[in-house]
Amino acid sequence: MNRESKFWKLVFGSGGVTACNVLRAFVVNKLLAMFLPLSTFACVGQLQNFMTVGQAMSSLAMQNGWVSLTAQNLDNREKLVGLWRGGFKLTSFATVFTSAVAVIFCFVAPLETLFPGIHPRLVQAAILFALPGILAMNIVTIASSVLNGLGEYKRWALVGVASSLLQCIWVAFFLYTERLSVLSIIATQSIVAGFFAARVASTAGFNFSVIRKSALDIRSPWFAFAAMGIVPMILNPVVLTVMRSFVGAEFGWDAAGVWQGVWKVSDFFASGFSAILGVILLPRISGKLTKQEFWSTFNPVLYKMFGLSLLVVAVLFACRHIVVAILLSDTYAAVADYMPIQLVGDFFRTGGWALGLVLVARGETVKFLVAEVLSNVYLAVGTVAFSKVFEFNGPMIAYASENFLYFVVLYVVVRRLKWNTP
């Protein structure tokens, strides 16, 4: 099988798993849109952002590290297990700290302001329920990342597909039976999937008993990945929370629900391309490469992903009214009017992700963090500034321009990287 055939086999293979994840997000989102008014839909978005922050804090957002370090050390099993042990130790410490912060947050945060229209007791219950939910999400993410790094693509696919199915069943069951509040349903949807992912990963040698017996406990390589993961994974949902709160205060919480719908369409796009890039690109560029080897590997992937991104964006633009009706509901019809500008940002976001993964794989921590912080600050400030001029189009214009600038700047940065390998 030639290189081109292998590439497209991985694209369609990972694309199939990604399609299941997108389908899961679609089913969950559709159910929520059918059951919830606009303002409550926006509140669900708030909780999801808080859960993303919690997952980042508890896992130290090291999923790229689990892929990259696993792929780098396939030929040294003893060191690999020691790296896994070190990663687990750091994650355990972070999980305990995150749980303590979440409990305090329940009783000191202005929940009435952050979740308008929902009783604070229901929000507190959802935050506490989110702790096992976040742990389960981490297990799914770590198991999938390790299987990707090991090249166990069939098991990786099984975890992805089954996890999506189990989460859909969980949300649908509890929404229809009304045995939990909607926030608690979202908080706990990954619990069964976490048990399943751990079981599948154990069949590939990634289990606690093997890791616990390791004489090595290697932690130092994880810190760079943690820094590059946790900063954007916390900063981005914080910025989105600020944006949503600003839109709600400036244009009303129904408008915030419309903006949430626009962002959800981007989320479907994002989950697809980020997953494909993580499978295709990250393991390939994690090893020691010369400058020539790197560009001969990276450029074809970048061009093909841009072409695929352009095709998807064009289809979404042409069918945006149908897409909104399918993904959301008639209540969200206005979302289609604000999608075109957002789609421009989605297109450039693909290239930005690819370049960002290069900095992650090469351990360019400072460059990556500066780019992430500046881009998120720009998005928040741009939302406020552009909204004053372009009104409700402001957040979408800020998003599109932020992703364009991010791509251009990172391309220049990657072109100027120093290469120490011969």
Side-chain angles (χ1 to χ4, degrees):
M1 185 181 294
N2 61 38
R3 187 175 180 179
E4 190 76 11
S5 298
K6 288 181 179 179
F7 173 85
W8 288 112
K9 182 178 179 179
L10 277 175
V11 168
F12 288 117
S14 59
V17 176
T18 300
C20 291
N21 289 328
V22 172
L23 181 61
R24 182 260 307 166
F26 158 70
V27 171
V28 171
N29 202 67
K30 183 70 174 179
L31 288 169
L32 294 174
M34 290 170 59
F35 279 84
L36 305 180
L38 285 165
S39 57
T40 306
F41 189 68
C43 289
V44 169
Q46 295 282 66
L47 178 66
Q48 290 172 328
N49 287 156
F50 283 124
M51 289 188 67
T52 301
V53 172
Q55 186 183 9
M57 290 175 60
S58 60
S59 69
L60 299 177
M62 299 188 300
Q63 55 264 36
N64 287 328
W66 288 101
V67 177
S68 190
L69 292 176
T70 299
Q72 289 174 17
N73 296 278
L74 287 176
D75 297 330
N76 190 341
R77 186 72 180 184
E78 183 180 1
K79 182 180 179 181
L80 178 58
V81 176
L83 284 164
W84 288 346
R85 182 181 175 89
F88 262 125
K89 284 287 186 69
L90 292 173
T91 301
S92 299
F93 297 148
T95 299
V96 172
F97 173 78
T98 302
S99 299
V101 171
V103 172
I104 295 171
F105 180 83
C106 279
F107 300 99
V108 302
L111 300 180
E112 298 90 344
T113 302
L114 294 170
F115 299 87
I118 298 180
H119 196 283
R121 293 295 184 189
L122 293 177
V123 180
Q124 289 173 340
I127 293 172
L128 294 177
F129 284 149
L131 296 178
I134 288 171
L135 177 61
M137 290 165 61
N138 289 337
I139 292 172
V140 173
T141 300
I142 292 172
S144 297
S145 298
V146 169
L147 291 172
N148 183 8
L150 290 172
E152 295 280 354
Y153 296 119
K154 290 183 178 179
R155 288 187 174 94
W156 171 82
L158 177 61
V159 168
V161 173
S163 296
S164 296
L165 179 60
L166 290 169
Q167 290 178 63
C168 285
I169 294 172
W170 182 278
V171 173
F173 174 78
F174 283 107
L175 273 177
Y176 278 107
T177 59
E178 299 182 348
R179 295 185 179 183
L180 287 174
S181 73
V182 64
L183 295 183
S184 294
I185 294 170
I186 298 302
T188 56
Q189 63 180 300
S190 299
I191 288 178
V192 177
F195 284 105
F196 180 83
R199 177 59 184 165
V200 173
S202 69
T203 62
F206 182 70
N207 57 63
F208 185 72
S209 61
V210 171
I211 294 169
R212 185 181 56 184
K213 294 176 183 177
S214 172
L216 296 177
D217 184 354
I218 305 173
R219 304 183 192 182
S220 56
W222 290 104
F223 293 111
F225 288 103
M228 289 187 285
I230 199 169
V231 171
M233 201 168 176
I234 290 179
L235 186 59
N236 187 249
V238 169
V239 167
L240 292 181
T241 300
V242 170
M243 290 172 65
R244 188 181 296 104
S245 298
F246 170 79
V247 171
E250 189 79 5
F251 303 107
W253 277 91
D254 280 353
V258 172
W259 174 82
Q260 179 72 17
V262 175
W263 192 266
K264 274 298 176 184
V265 176
S266 282
D267 267 352
F268 291 131
F269 184 97
S271 61
F273 280 89
S274 62
I276 292 173
L277 282 170
V279 173
I280 293 175
L281 187 60
L282 189 56
R284 290 188 176 192
I285 60 176
S286 292
K288 292 183 179 180
L289 301 173
T290 64
K291 184 176 182 179
Q292 183 177 4
E293 288 171 341
F294 165 75
W295 285 109
S296 65
T297 299
F298 179 76
N299 278 336
V301 174
L302 180 64
Y303 298 150
K304 289 167 185 172
M305 294 308 295
F306 259 141
L308 190 59
S309 176
L310 181 61
L311 176 63
V312 173
V313 165
V315 171
L316 288 175
F317 174 77
C319 305
R320 59 189 182 279
H321 294 284
I322 299 173
V323 168
V324 171
I326 293 174
L327 294 182
L328 300 166
S329 69
D330 293 339
T331 306
Y332 297 81
V335 168
D337 298 331
Y338 300 98
M339 279 179 56
I341 299 173
Q342 189 88 356
L343 289 172
V344 174
D346 289 334
F347 173 75
F348 286 107
R349 197 175 184 183
T350 302
W353 278 328
L355 294 164
L357 285 177
V358 174
L359 297 182
V360 169
R362 286 185 53 80
E364 297 286 349
T365 307
V366 175
K367 292 182 176 66
F368 179 81
L369 291 181
V370 169
E372 285 293 318
V373 171
L374 290 180
S375 66
N376 276 281
V377 170
Y378 176 91
L379 180 59
V381 174
T383 294
V384 176
F386 288 129
S387 294
K388 300 298 182 182
V389 179
F390 302 103
E391 298 185 339
F392 192 61
N393 280 307
M396 280 61 77
I397 293 174
Y399 173 79
S401 58
E402 178 250 335
N403 279 286
F404 171 73
L405 292 172
Y406 185 85
F407 168 73
V408 171
V409 171
L410 254 64
Y411 187 79
V412 173
V413 170
V414 170
R415 293 292 300 183
R416 294 182 178 181
L417 288 179
K418 295 180 179 180
W419 296 81
N420 297 321
T421 52

